[in-house]
Amino acid sequence: MSGFSHIPVMLEECLQGLNLRDGGTYFDGTIGGAGHSYEILKRTSPNGKLIATDLDSDAIAAATERLNEFKGRFKIYKSNYKDYDGVLEQAGADGLDGVILDFGISSWQIDNCDRGFSYMKPASPLDMRMDRTQALTAETIVNDYQQKEIAKILKQYGEEQFATAIAAKIVTARQRKRLTTCGELVEIIEGTIPKTFQSGAPAARKSFQAIRIAVNGELSGLYDCVVGLTRRLKKGGRIVILTFHSLEDRIVKQAFKFLESDCICDKSLPVCTCGKKKEIEIITKKPLTASVKEITLNSRSKCAKLRIAEKII
């Protein structure tokens, strides 16, 4: 898997945000090419430990190879990070000193023609699965979902203003033949969105994002996961989260706001009855973004937002 590549976004900001401890135990829920994980193990040598998850078998193989020099100090599980309870139980971890979640797709996944993530690869199959053993693919959604379901996905997950029109064109096109490639879908989208609205970002970007999110269930359970993983931190432990679109960032922001709250009772009540205590200190009152230098070197870092919180109880 030496061909698997992924430039870790905001690497130094993430590592500083984690406030690494010698001998600490860290959880990387989306290990990818192990860019962040490698530095975590390197900077917590010789006793720091890492528990990681990923759904992509190629990513796991690449990460295992990359981390080989730290053998015995890390465990990688083919699992969704949202199933952290089971993973941490298997790993025998009672508490964590830090958590990192990087929701970005690796450059290798985007550029690999077999994976179907990119609207820039017309011959790629309509796949978009992180876990290639699952049944649901982008092809299934495009060809088998009802028009209203497709429109809802495009609007809800892609914030695509032409969602209804694109869904209608997809249904019309698939009546002639089954849609199987990214190029066919891009052609439909570009033929639907008025040219005056195609002067900026690629016309298919929002729709591809939306379908990818739907295929992988990326937003489902995310709020509860952020809250739950934060609560697995030891006092003083940090959670660091990189998001790449507004929907993810909004959920993370809401989860942090809840954890930071000292009481969630109806304000009309004379006394608190919920018993909720402030659980975190938000380190980043506003999300951090990549520097101009990093964006120049890695354009995919342009839309990244980094939020950091520290467990205080």
Side-chain angles (χ1 to χ4, degrees), residues 79-125:
S79 174
N80 193 312
Y81 63 88
K82 295 168 189 173
D83 298 324
Y84 61 87
D85 273 331
V87 169
L88 295 179
E89 183 178 354
Q90 287 184 64
D94 294 326
L96 299 168
D97 294 281
V99 171
I100 181 167
L101 298 174
D102 174 359
F103 297 136
I105 303 176
S106 73
S107 300
W108 184 88
Q109 288 169 322
I110 294 172
D111 297 335
N112 188 328
C113 289
D114 293 336
R115 303 304 297 269
F117 285 111
S118 177
Y119 44 78
M120 301 294 289
K121 307 288 183 181
S124 295

Side-chain angles (χ1 to χ4, degrees), residues 93-271:
D94 294 326
L96 299 168
D97 294 281
V99 171
I100 181 167
L101 298 174
D102 174 359
F103 297 136
I105 303 176
S106 73
S107 300
W108 184 88
Q109 288 169 322
I110 294 172
D111 297 335
N112 188 328
C113 289
D114 293 336
R115 303 304 297 269
F117 285 111
S118 177
Y119 44 78
M120 301 294 289
K121 307 288 183 181
S124 295
L126 281 169
D127 194 319
M128 302 192 195
R129 292 173 296 175
M130 295 292 185
D131 180 359
R132 300 182 82 177
T133 65
Q134 76 173 37
L136 181 62
T137 65
E139 182 180 333
T140 305
I141 290 176
V142 168
N143 289 282
D144 301 335
Y145 279 27
Q146 294 182 4
Q147 182 175 320
K148 286 185 178 180
E149 291 179 287
I150 296 173
K152 183 178 179 181
I153 286 170
L154 299 184
K155 186 173 183 180
Q156 184 174 346
Y157 296 148
E159 300 178 297
E160 173 57 72
Q161 69 181 105
F162 298 101
T164 301
I166 292 170
K169 285 287 183 67
I170 286 172
V171 170
T172 300
R174 76 189 191 191
Q175 289 172 351
R176 293 191 293 269
K177 68 176 289 290
R178 188 170 180 85
L179 305 174
T180 60
T181 69
C182 291
E184 289 172 324
L185 181 57
V186 169
E187 186 177 348
I188 291 167
I189 295 167
E190 290 182 344
T192 305
I193 298 176
K195 295 298 181 184
T196 53
F197 289 86
Q198 296 187 39
S199 57
R205 181 180 61 85
K206 291 181 178 181
S207 294
F208 268 64
Q209 170 187 295
I211 295 170
R212 190 202 76 223
I213 289 172
V215 167
N216 297 289
E218 294 176 30
L219 301 183
S220 175
L222 181 56
Y223 178 93
D224 291 337
C225 176
V226 173
V227 171
L229 271 172
T230 303
R231 286 175 169 169
R232 296 300 295 263
L233 289 170
K234 300 173 185 175
K235 183 178 180 180
R238 297 273 187 92
I239 183 166
V240 169
I241 305 180
L242 273 169
T243 61
F244 290 82
H245 57 76
S246 61
L247 300 175
E248 290 172 340
D249 183 61
R250 194 177 305 144
I251 291 171
V252 174
K253 181 180 178 181
Q254 291 169 347
F256 276 12
K257 184 178 180 180
F258 167 75
L259 289 163
E260 188 187 36
S261 300
D262 201 34
C263 171
I264 56 173
C265 288
D266 187 323
K267 299 306 177 185
S268 65
L269 295 175
V271 294

Side-chain angles (χ1 to χ4, degrees), residues 27-83:
F27 178 78
D28 186 344
T30 46
I31 196 168
H36 293 107
S37 286
Y38 181 90
E39 289 298 326
I40 289 171
L41 288 168
K42 180 181 176 181
R43 300 184 194 196
T44 59
S45 292
N47 301 315
K49 292 187 176 4
L50 176 81
I51 301 162
T53 60
D54 208 292
L55 286 169
D56 193 322
S57 297
D58 292 337
I60 292 172
T64 302
E65 182 181 324
R66 177 85 191 279
L67 301 179
N68 186 58
E69 66 186 89
F70 306 112
K71 199 169 182 178
R73 292 176 52 204
F74 70 92
K75 295 178 180 178
I76 306 176
Y77 298 86
K78 188 176 188 299
S79 174
N80 193 312
Y81 63 88
K82 295 168 189 173
D83 298 324

